[in-house]
Amino acid sequence: LYKLINFAQKKNDCVIIDVKQTLGQEKTKDLLKLSTNILFVIDKKITTLNRIAEKFAKVKGGFVNKDITVVVNMDEGRGINKAAVKSIFKHLEYMENGEKKSYSIKIGNIYTVAYDTKSIITGLISQLPAVTVPENKIIPDMKNIASHFFEANK
């Protein structure tokens, strides 16, 4: 896996790795250490945000000196409290050798991707991805996110 990632990094501008829970803590930590940027894609449910922050407490060493971006998927356009999202990743508690410890994950940018119900339904009816539906609200958000990563790394 690591050889494949190193090869892909040499040949491509961007390598996306979807870190699943089945990888385990050590492999996840190693993959995070290999990355230049970390992108959390989450939904707006506060319970989901809390679980993600708690799970990443177990691989905290993978976040040292990383550009960490959060994308809130399926945003209904009511706005998002960016300070509240960032606060979820502060003072995370975990147990180490029977001792309670805490740490924080520094979140940089926070983006949203629209929950474009009309395009999703139109796409389902047409059997096409929602992003291919004309005048969808998803593509502008995706371009905004992409510009952060590609403009910053030029």
Side-chain angles (χ1 to χ4, degrees), residues 45-55 88-89 92:
K45 296 177 189 163
I46 199 76
T47 54
T48 303
L49 289 172
N50 286 329
R51 276 196 314 268
I52 287 172
E54 289 167 14
K55 286 182 185 202
I88 289 168
F89 293 91
L92 301 168

Side-chain angles (χ1 to χ4, degrees), residues 50-66:
N50 286 329
R51 276 196 314 268
I52 287 172
E54 289 167 14
K55 286 182 185 202
F56 279 112
K58 296 173 182 166
V59 293
K60 64 188 179 307
F63 297 110
V64 178
N65 299 321
K66 300 292 181 181

Side-chain angles (χ1 to χ4, degrees), residues 5 8 18 24 45 65 88 113 116 122 136-137:
I5 292 168
D18 184 358
K45 296 177 189 163
N65 299 321
I88 289 168
V113 176
D116 187 356
T122 303
N136 72 73
K137 296 176 185 172

Side-chain angles (χ1 to χ4, degrees), residues 52-90:
I52 287 172
E54 289 167 14
K55 286 182 185 202
F56 279 112
K58 296 173 182 166
V59 293
K60 64 188 179 307
F63 297 110
V64 178
N65 299 321
K66 300 292 181 181
D67 175 23
I68 300 174
T69 301
V70 172
V71 174
V72 180
N73 195 19
M74 299 169 55
D75 180 43
E76 292 130 351
R78 294 185 209 131
I80 184 154
N81 185 334
K82 292 181 179 185
V85 172
K86 287 183 178 186
S87 72
I88 289 168
F89 293 91
K90 290 183 180 175

